[in-house]
Amino acid sequence: MPAIVVVGAQWGDEGKGKITDLLAEHGDAVVRFQGGNNAGHTIVRGDEEWKLHLIPSGILYPGKRCVIGNGVVIDPRVLIDELDALRARRVDVGGLRISANAHLIMPYHLLLDSAGEAKLGKLQIGTTRRGIGPCYADKAARLGIRVQDLLDEKILKKKIVAAMEPKRLSLRPFEKDPALDLRTMTEEYLIFGHRLEQHIADTSKLMWEMLENDELVILEGAQGAMLDIDHGTYPFVTSSNPLAGAACVGTGIGPKAIEEVWGISKAYTTRVGAGPFPSELHDEMGETIRERGGEFGTTTGRPRRTGWLDLVALRYAARLNTMTALVVTKLDVLSGLDRINVCTSYRGAEGAEFEDFPYHQTVLHHSEAELTELPGWKEDLGECRTLSDLPQGARDYLDFVAEHTGAPVALIGVGPGREQVIWTEAGQQTLIGAAAARSTPV
Ligand code: IMP
């Protein structure tokens, strides 16, 4: 069992943090491979709550390796704040390793993100305004500043000049911003470098060594398949690839190292920001789901758009990721509904039915969800720990989802607590496989 990838199978916010946290208990390392602090995980441990944006959730286990891979874009200020907050709560952060090749979010990226959205006006994407898009744009334009540059003052200064120069025009309204002063910025980033130095490493080599030793590596995706810059609902997407395939490039390992791909989906759908969402609910039911599910962003606090589970999109995500198992989170939120709808196909503007996710944006933008009605269940699920504890309606719902997605359900979330999960046989088999490979008991 070399590596297992955990990815979002919807538009992000599926509850990957909790699942990664559960798997991390049995793993040796947790690794981030894309995105930045646009992501946010809330992990609940007893009475304590942890909100992490950049640091992999495995950090809460003493002695576990946590890696921020080269594919991640890092706002060093946010990373240092997160490290300080963890230290203040007596969490040992000594196991964190940061790729020297990861790109840095600079003050001008934040300004460009907001300016870009303002310019788009009504057409705006609804980004998290964390500078993610502009940072990845600089990476592709070969104007990026990398973590390793923090360790060399001369190079850092040269690179900042080169990166800022072409942006002068767009940054004109901000030119007097003290954060854009070359000296101030260089000095500040050099200090960040000193603070992070002990964690900077050749993480691709580290990963290779761990895999060679048969250690269990958990690769933690951020966002979700439908926000993928290549395969998602472009341009209403993030600027990276939240798909399992990106776990290789974003960490520097080969595809053969990956054995399992777990796709995480809520029992319904949510989306933050603009863009198509065929199964969206604009009525009271949508509001009920938002309230019951606490559907407000961890990163920006924005209310999330809500809708029925979209099986067309989920099937697409299963295909894009070669998903080996599905995790269904927040099933408890649907308790008490007489009937539950799921989207099983799309109806295009001209009446055509689409069972596969349409490749053309015009078709998608005009698609409406064709719904299949399933019986609901009344019981509270918070105490269920095995499949047989679940009411028949909930079990039928899961069977329907698994059959239409083509992946077995490995794990089910029935409440926010760490223990509020049900491991199915498929999920347990993965853990047993992992333990056997490492010759340690589960
Ligand atoms: P960006 O990643 O900040 O550029 O935002 C681009 C789009 O991705 C926007 O619609 C955001 O709301 C969405 N997005 C980015 N990160 C997340 C996330 O972690 N969860 C959900 N949506 C996200």
Side-chain angles (χ1 to χ4, degrees):
M1 171 70 58
I4 166 164
V5 190
V6 176
V7 281
Q10 299 174 300
W11 277 276
D13 307 319
E14 300 90 350
K16 294 175 291 290
K18 175 174 165 179
I19 307 308
T20 308
D21 184 42
L22 287 169
L23 285 172
E25 192 180 342
H26 306 280
D28 299 291
V30 185
V31 185
R32 279 276 308 264
F33 57 87
Q34 47 72 232
N37 61 310
N38 46 350
H41 299 321
T42 307
I43 296 161
V44 180
R45 291 265 179 97
D47 300 338
E48 287 205 276
E49 199 178 85
W50 309 81
K51 284 190 192 298
L52 299 171
H53 294 282
L54 266 171
I55 300 182
S57 10
I59 200 77
L60 300 180
Y61 295 95
K64 214 139 272 193
R65 270 264 177 263
C66 281
V67 179
I68 299 182
N70 55 279
V72 176
V73 287
I74 301 172
D75 186 330
R77 192 188 314 270
V78 173
L79 178 55
I80 289 168
D81 281 352
E82 225 163 84
L83 281 168
D84 287 345
L86 285 165
R87 277 196 199 101
R89 289 171 77 177
R90 302 196 179 286
V91 176
D92 175 12
V93 293
L96 178 71
R97 293 292 174 272
I98 305 165
S99 168
N101 288 354
H103 282 246
L104 293 168
I105 295 181
M106 306 297 288
Y108 44 84
H109 291 141
L110 296 169
L111 295 172
L112 286 167
D113 200 352
S114 292
E117 286 285 87
K119 258 191 228 155
L120 282 170
K122 271 193 182 158
L123 298 176
Q124 65 179 245
I125 293 159
T127 73
T128 59
R129 304 196 179 211
R130 299 296 189 267
I132 307 296
C135 185
Y136 277 117
D138 266 358
K139 174 177 177 176
R142 288 154 295 185
L143 286 171
I145 317 278
R146 297 187 295 171
V147 167
Q148 57 183 283
D149 299 329
L150 295 175
L151 307 178
D152 187 323
E153 183 172 352
K154 249 168 109 189
I155 287 185
L156 180 65
K157 208 179 259 172
K158 255 198 207 161
K159 289 197 173 181
I160 294 179
V161 172
M164 266 215 289
E165 198 54 41
K167 304 186 183 78
R168 285 231 171 269
L169 199 62
S170 346
L171 288 175
R172 195 160 282 162
F174 306 101
E175 250 174 85
K176 296 227 158 39
D177 190 323
L180 293 181
D181 173 66
L182 176 64
R183 228 180 77 187
T184 318
M185 197 186 301
T186 314
E187 277 169 11
E188 196 179 24
Y189 273 67
L190 283 171
I191 294 172
F192 292 153
H194 289 308
R195 294 283 320 272
L196 296 175
E197 195 167 359
Q198 56 178 310
H199 300 286
I200 302 173
D202 178 352
T203 51
S204 163
K205 181 156 176 275
L206 172 68
M207 301 268 307
W208 186 78
E209 285 164 359
M210 284 189 296
L211 293 166
E212 278 288 294
N213 289 335
D214 267 339
E215 291 184 48
L216 176 62
V217 175
I218 295 143
L219 299 150
E220 175 184 18
Q223 292 85 45
M226 306 310 292
L227 288 172
D228 184 273
I229 191 164
D230 286 282
H231 301 280
T233 52
Y234 191 91
F236 302 101
V237 292
T238 192
S239 297
S240 66
N241 296 105
L243 296 178
C248 296
V249 183
T251 56
I253 61 170
K256 284 197 161 180
I258 295 172
E259 193 142 305
E260 292 268 341
V261 180
W262 282 23
I264 322 296
S265 167
K266 279 179 191 159
Y268 47 93
T269 309
T270 64
R271 168 163 210 175
V272 219
F277 181 176
S279 69
E280 184 166 13
L281 284 162
H282 298 281
D283 56 8
E284 233 168 76
M285 181 57 76
E287 194 54 46
T288 305
I289 293 177
R290 178 160 38 250
E291 287 302 323
R292 280 204 205 167
E295 296 299 349
F296 300 89
T298 318
T299 301
T300 59
R302 291 181 286 180
R304 295 177 183 142
R305 299 158 66 191
T306 52
W308 296 119
L309 184 62
D310 182 343
L311 288 174
V312 180
L314 195 56
R315 242 188 335 263
Y316 179 53
R319 166 158 73 77
L320 293 171
N321 283 298
T322 52
M323 222 185 254
T324 57
L326 181 65
V327 177
V328 179
T329 59
K330 291 190 151 184
L331 187 62
D332 53 303
V333 173
L334 299 183
S335 284
L337 303 180
D338 288 332
R339 320 287 298 168
I340 299 172
N341 287 326
V342 281
C343 167
T344 38
S345 64
Y346 295 160
R347 181 76 57 190
E350 269 129 48
E353 191 177 358
F354 296 89
E355 289 195 348
D356 290 321
F357 197 77
Y359 75 88
H360 203 291
Q361 59 187 358
T362 312
V363 176
L364 180 65
H365 283 247
H366 293 102
S367 282
E368 286 189 4
E370 285 288 302
L371 301 172
T372 301
E373 199 180 73
L374 301 173
W377 61 90
K378 291 267 173 274
E379 296 84 341
D380 185 86
L381 308 184
E383 299 299 320
C384 298
R385 295 294 176 268
T386 63
L387 270 181
S388 55
D389 292 342
L390 287 174
Q392 192 60 44
R395 267 183 281 162
D396 290 346
Y397 186 74
L398 292 170
D399 287 346
F400 191 89
V401 172
E403 192 187 318
H404 280 75
T405 312
V409 176
L411 191 57
I412 302 142
V414 290
R418 203 167 184 281
E419 66 298 340
Q420 290 182 294
V421 286
I422 296 171
W423 288 92
T424 68
E425 184 120 359
Q428 280 170 8
Q429 284 308 320
T430 304
L431 284 192
I432 291 165
R438 300 162 61 234
S439 1
T440 53
V442 175

